[in-house]
Amino acid sequence: MTYRGRIETGGFLVFLTIITIAFGAVVSSFAAALLWSALAAILFQPLYQRLLARHPGKRNLAASLAMLIIFIAVVVPTLVIASMMIDQATSVYSSMQGGQINFSAYFKQIHDALPDRLQMLVDKSGIDSFERLQTRVSDALGNSVRTIAGQALSIGRNAFAFLLAFGIALYVTFFLLRDGDRIGPALCRSLPLEPSVTQRLVDKFVAVVRATIKGSVIVGLVQGGLGAITFWLVGVPAALLWGLLMALTSLLPALGPAIVWVPVAVYLLATGAIWQGIAVVVSGVVVIGLADNILRPILVGRDTGIPDFVVLVTTLGGIEMFGLSGIVVGPVVAALFLAGWQILTEQRLGRTKNDAEA
């Protein structure tokens, strides 16, 4: 390549970098909507292909029918549950502001109900004292509920922005469903990677997205629903809100919904609600716990190859950085990170082997 050719190529790459950054800045306000559109298109692409097979050549019709099914089966139930959750979160938030809900008093009840020897052990094992630990845990729980309630109220205050993003997400999903089999390969061809490497990364990306959504999210909703029903049956206030927390915590390996139902069961047992506490424990161990073991293999279908501790760390980090979207973004980044390094290792070993043979 001549000197002029290198200058022109370098200038084009600089232009491409700048315009890509500018494009990202322009659409950044709707990044979450575009992300969930892409995820929905990946997840429901088999449904679209099945509808297209029944209506050959009618891509618009097949995409419209797929969107109608998505709206009825996914969007409407989600909106109904979200509205109920907002009502309960607002009620809990108001009760906390008015002093009707006092987490410190609840912890004091648990502490006073413990045997004297266990009380002394708990007091000695605190940071400085049980009261300080109690305050910190109470503040953490209170802040968690305040955050959820605040987000719910924020959605209500920013209804127009939410509806706009929601409308854009549905609009983009339609086109990604209809043209995804063309857009995907075009994007893969434009990547400056070997075709085999690109294909492996794409396969890993699709597998993790489907596993995360079909496995983690659906299993989380089932576990959260079972938890909400259990709490409602034993008379725990705001059962739907705590069920939502269980659905979110079910995404965390090793910890899961037990983060929510164990403290509730301890409180019920410590305050004399024996049968209610036993019911929560039995439901948590037998019903909610087994739901993951039964449903996840059916829904996921194959292993994503990501260690549990990596899923835990990346999910928490993804939620912290990207909010709700981090539930998917975190594991996807982890999967691509591991796949990329595995490919690099294989390539280096292959080159070393070839050099040794030469």
Side-chain angles (χ1 to χ4, degrees):
M1 183 181 294
T2 63
Y3 176 76
R4 179 178 178 180
R6 288 196 295 270
I7 292 295
E8 291 174 348
T9 302
F12 175 72
L13 291 177
V14 171
F15 164 77
L16 189 61
T17 301
I18 294 174
I19 201 63
T20 301
I21 295 173
F23 177 80
V26 168
V27 302
S28 61
S29 299
F30 303 102
L34 296 176
L35 171 64
W36 284 101
S37 296
L39 298 178
I42 292 172
L43 185 63
F44 292 101
Q45 187 64 212
L47 171 63
Y48 165 75
Q49 293 297 336
R50 199 171 294 117
L51 292 171
L52 184 61
R54 293 187 176 183
H55 305 280
K58 300 180 179 180
R59 302 175 69 90
N60 286 330
L61 176 61
S64 299
L65 291 175
M67 290 299 300
L68 180 61
I69 294 173
I70 293 171
F71 189 81
I72 294 175
V74 178
V75 175
V76 172
T78 300
L79 292 177
V80 172
I81 294 174
S83 64
M84 296 171 64
M85 183 270 294
I86 290 174
D87 290 340
Q88 292 205 355
T90 304
S91 176
V92 171
Y93 185 77
S94 301
S95 298
M96 292 177 62
Q97 293 293 320
Q100 291 91 345
I101 295 180
N102 189 336
F103 285 109
S104 296
Y106 295 159
F107 278 100
K108 188 175 186 305
Q109 283 182 287
I110 296 175
H111 176 263
D112 294 342
L114 296 174
D116 294 339
R117 185 170 299 180
L118 190 55
Q119 285 187 27
M120 294 176 59
L121 181 62
V122 169
D123 290 340
K124 291 179 181 179
S125 64
I127 300 174
D128 287 327
S129 65
F130 179 78
E131 287 73 18
R132 177 173 295 184
L133 179 61
Q134 169 187 316
T135 301
R136 290 194 177 185
V137 175
S138 300
D139 290 342
L141 290 174
N143 289 335
S144 299
V145 176
R146 289 189 189 96
T147 299
I148 295 174
Q151 291 291 332
L153 294 174
S154 176
I155 293 175
R157 288 193 297 265
N158 301 306
F160 176 76
F162 172 76
L163 291 176
L164 178 61
F166 182 73
I168 290 175
L170 291 178
Y171 183 74
V172 174
T173 301
F174 171 84
F175 288 100
L176 291 180
L177 279 174
R178 191 191 68 178
D179 304 323
D181 54 349
R182 302 171 182 173
I183 297 174
L187 289 176
C188 292
R189 289 193 298 269
S190 66
L191 294 175
L193 299 171
E194 296 179 9
S196 60
V197 172
T198 301
Q199 189 60 49
R200 288 184 62 178
L201 293 177
V202 169
D203 291 342
K204 177 62 71 174
F205 173 79
V206 173
V208 173
V209 166
R210 288 179 175 169
T212 302
I213 297 178
K214 289 173 60 178
S216 301
V217 174
I218 294 179
V219 170
L221 291 176
V222 171
Q223 290 184 310
L226 293 173
I229 293 172
T230 301
F231 288 170
W232 176 72
L233 290 175
V234 300
V236 175
L240 182 62
L241 182 61
W242 302 120
L244 175 64
L245 285 176
M246 294 178 68
L248 294 176
T249 55
S250 69
L251 302 171
L252 305 178
L255 303 175
I259 298 176
V260 179
W261 68 258
V262 168
V264 172
V266 170
Y267 170 75
L268 292 173
L269 293 172
T271 54
I274 304 300
W275 77 264
Q276 293 92 335
I278 294 176
V280 171
V281 172
V282 172
S283 176
V285 174
V286 178
V287 180
I288 299 173
L290 290 181
D292 181 82
N293 297 328
I294 295 174
L295 293 178
R296 193 178 298 274
I298 298 174
L299 295 172
V300 175
R302 58 174 172 170
D303 187 13
T304 59
I306 310 176
D308 284 346
F309 74 92
V310 176
V311 176
L312 173 63
V313 173
T314 54
T315 300
L316 291 175
I319 293 173
E320 183 178 357
M321 289 188 64
F322 303 103
L324 184 61
S325 301
I327 294 173
V328 179
V329 173
V332 166
V333 170
L336 295 180
F337 171 80
L338 295 175
W341 279 100
Q342 182 180 1
I343 292 171
L344 177 63
T345 302
E346 292 174 358
Q347 290 180 342
R348 292 183 63 186
L349 291 175
R351 285 195 295 266
T352 302
K353 182 178 180 181
N354 293 333
D355 293 341
E357 293 176 352

